[in-house]
Amino acid sequence: MQNRDEYAGYKWLSEAYDVTPVQPFRVRSAIGSARSSAASDGFTVETYPAQYKPDATLSAHLTFALKYEGVELDFLNRLFEVTGPEPIAKWALAEPTGQYARRCGFLYEWLTNSILNEVGDAGGNYVDMLDGSKYLSATVPDKVRRWRINNNLPGNRAFCPMVDFREHGKADPAPLRAEIDKMVDQFGLETIERAVNWLTLKESKASFAIESEGKEEDRIRRLARAMSTHCGRIESALTEEGMLEIQRAIMGEKMVGAKLGMRRSPVFVGHTNSTYVPVIDYLAPHHDMVAEMMEGLRIFEQRTRGQSPLLRAAALSFGFVYIHPLGDGNGRLSRFLINDILRRDGFLPAPVILPVSAVISENAMRRAAYDAALERLSRPLMARMNSVCRFGVTVQHEDGVESNLHVSDWGRGMSTWRYADLTLQSVYLMDVIRHSILHGLKDEAIYLLRYDTARESLKDIIEGRDEDYAAIIRSLVTNMKVSGKLRKTYPGVFNDDALVKRIERAVFKAFERLPDKDDDDDDEVVPRLDVVAR
């Protein structure tokens, strides 16, 4: 086991000041015999030779941390609560032009909302608080004269999620946008619009499935309409008025008033264990914090405009779901935000909607990956919060919601809620977006072209309604043979073996490949029969 002197940066500070991080350090530095790096599951261990070893002081290890490991706002906030202002002020006075002393002085005042006494204005050239080539940061920074710092933190003190793209890249949207444009050219706008109409409904069904809710068609269609009507068109989905408008569109007017709008009661996501005891998987921040945290999320959206739309959509969606500002519908609105931001940022042309919920829920592996992404924050947070949560007397809160959850110390989680590291969640969601485009949207467009080909071929063989052709095609593509149900529904057609072979050949040919325009159909011509469903 390594002792403290073999660590450097944040890990050394954690040991020296007995400040246990809630969110695990994604970069952990150690002093060894040679330079090496080992990465696994989004976390990295960096080993440095002895000449890199900092002096055993707060300032030396903070310098090392900011220089080599990045900015860990949650941990720094907790560390400053322990160190107090004196050592930071002393460092700032000793190095008034030092860029790392100035960064730490600025961060101390920004995080604690206080002023370091007796510390005057710093000197030196202005330096960026974050390296914009490594972090999702503000497009236009605020100049802080006192510290000569360009404050390009993406949010504000109440809510400032962090996304570090050093390992995974800045998420250039151009290649994926080019794929969308290529699809429009290849399949035509009409086919893409038809694909979007179907995928929007599929997205709605999947969104309810993610939350393990029922399949009531009215609810599914309401969400589909909300997606197509409001994405990129509502003034802002992050204001209280905007959230209420979308919530009403999603939930319907039959919702009781207590569940509409910003919540005024505690909320958690959980389950019941084998002994029927409730277990909290994620506790959302106290309702008194919601308004200021949502203001922080809006500021984050404004300050990062012009940055990667993929990273923005990911951070805003996960940030929203962690704040959990509404009494109901948080998950659906968080996934609405993905398409909304991508549309606003010009990444998605109208009327394209990406089936992100459908991708998330398409199989057990992808659903588990979504849960794992949520747990990147919820699991370490609950390890800190479980001991202060209990279930007791039921209390009615301001919004009319009754709850028996009691939390004795909300402050334990405040720093983590405010300064969530959403790096790995963003990596996950970018993969979902990529899959939604390259497979969800593209596969649906290909299916529609093949469907149209199959339907036109069937029209040359049998007479019927569009719904009859759809039923026959869907059954054959699904079962790869004529099912008993199909024979029972259309006995006049599927009891004729020669006709069955001709129908199968027409459908399977269409779905084997996109037909060439010059293909000649040299099948034997047979009379067209009427299709009449029982």
Side-chain angles (χ1 to χ4, degrees), residues 120 177 179 315 319 380 429 463:
R177 176 54 199 261
E179 287 291 335
L429 195 52
E463 288 285 357

Side-chain angles (χ1 to χ4, degrees), residues 107-398:
L107 283 173
Y108 183 92
E109 294 188 342
W110 190 85
L111 288 166
T112 64
N113 195 24
S114 63
I115 297 296
L116 292 170
N117 293 329
E118 300 181 3
V119 177
D121 290 354
N125 296 326
Y126 277 86
V127 293
D128 293 340
M129 184 57 246
L130 298 179
D131 185 340
S133 67
K134 299 176 181 178
Y135 286 91
L136 179 59
S137 54
T139 305
V140 180
D142 302 321
K143 286 193 173 295
V144 181
R145 173 65 186 84
R146 172 169 167 77
W147 295 104
R148 290 193 172 259
I149 290 288
N150 294 317
N151 174 20
N152 59 349
L153 291 170
N156 67 359
R157 186 179 293 109
F159 190 66
C160 187
M162 299 288 283
V163 178
D164 179 347
F165 49 75
R166 281 175 292 182
E167 182 179 348
H168 300 279
K170 198 173 182 178
D172 180 9
L176 286 177
R177 176 54 199 261
E179 287 291 335
I180 296 174
D181 294 338
K182 182 180 177 181
M183 277 186 265
V184 173
D185 291 338
Q186 180 180 359
F187 302 115
L189 186 58
E190 181 183 354
T191 299
I192 294 297
E193 288 183 356
R194 288 172 58 203
V196 166
N197 289 337
W198 166 245
L199 289 173
T200 303
L201 189 60
K202 185 179 180 181
E203 170 75 358
S204 302
K205 291 181 180 179
S207 191
F208 280 103
I210 289 173
E211 298 175 39
S212 302
E213 296 193 20
K215 297 181 179 179
E216 181 191 340
E217 285 300 315
D218 284 350
R219 302 167 75 197
I220 292 169
R221 294 187 183 280
R222 277 201 304 269
L223 180 53
R225 282 195 301 271
M227 293 285 289
S228 60
T229 302
H230 293 296
C231 265
R233 297 178 180 176
I234 189 171
E235 184 174 347
S236 173
L238 297 175
T239 64
E240 186 168 2
E241 296 78 12
M243 286 189 293
L244 185 58
E245 182 177 353
I246 298 171
Q247 190 185 31
R248 280 198 175 115
I250 291 174
M251 311 299 291
E253 292 297 333
K254 294 181 181 179
M255 289 294 300
V256 293
K259 291 186 178 180
L260 287 173
M262 301 269 272
R263 63 180 172 89
R264 295 296 304 159
S265 53
V267 66
F268 68 93
V269 178
H271 67 281
T272 303
N273 65 17
S274 58
T275 59
Y276 305 102
V277 175
V279 176
I280 301 175
D281 295 319
Y282 175 69
L283 176 68
H286 191 281
H287 44 276
D288 285 345
M289 296 171 58
V290 167
E292 65 174 16
M293 290 184 74
M294 282 304 301
E295 174 64 18
L297 191 65
R298 286 190 290 274
I299 289 173
F300 177 94
E301 190 280 320
Q302 293 164 5
R303 286 175 63 80
T304 59
R305 289 177 186 174
Q307 304 298 327
S308 167
L310 305 177
L311 291 176
R312 276 168 42 81
L316 285 162
S317 175
F318 274 101
F320 184 92
V321 82
Y322 285 134
I323 296 173
H324 233 67
L326 303 174
D328 200 0
N330 291 283
R332 275 158 279 172
L333 212 151
S334 75
R335 291 185 288 278
F336 169 92
L337 280 173
I338 298 169
N339 277 290
D340 182 69
I341 294 300
L342 293 177
R343 178 76 61 78
R344 290 177 190 277
D345 284 4
F347 175 78
L348 284 183
V352 175
I353 296 288
L354 297 182
V356 290
S357 297
V359 170
I360 290 170
S361 62
E362 71 179 2
N363 56 48
M365 184 177 296
R366 285 199 169 273
R367 177 56 198 269
Y370 177 67
D371 292 339
L374 290 171
E375 289 172 0
R376 292 287 189 179
L377 181 74
S378 64
R379 190 179 291 275
L381 175 68
M382 293 318 301
R384 178 65 61 93
M385 295 297 295
N386 271 324
S387 63
V388 295
C389 298
R390 66 178 180 85
F391 294 95
V393 178
T394 298
V395 175
Q396 186 175 65
H397 293 271
E398 292 178 42

Side-chain angles (χ1 to χ4, degrees), residues 425-436:
Q425 292 91 331
S426 298
V427 170
Y428 160 79
L429 195 52
M430 283 190 294
D431 178 66
V432 170
I433 292 171
R434 187 178 297 108
H435 192 85
S436 298

Side-chain angles (χ1 to χ4, degrees), residues 44-56:
T44 304
V45 175
E46 301 284 357
T47 303
Y48 294 87
Q51 60 264 34
Y52 283 82
K53 183 177 181 179
D55 293 337

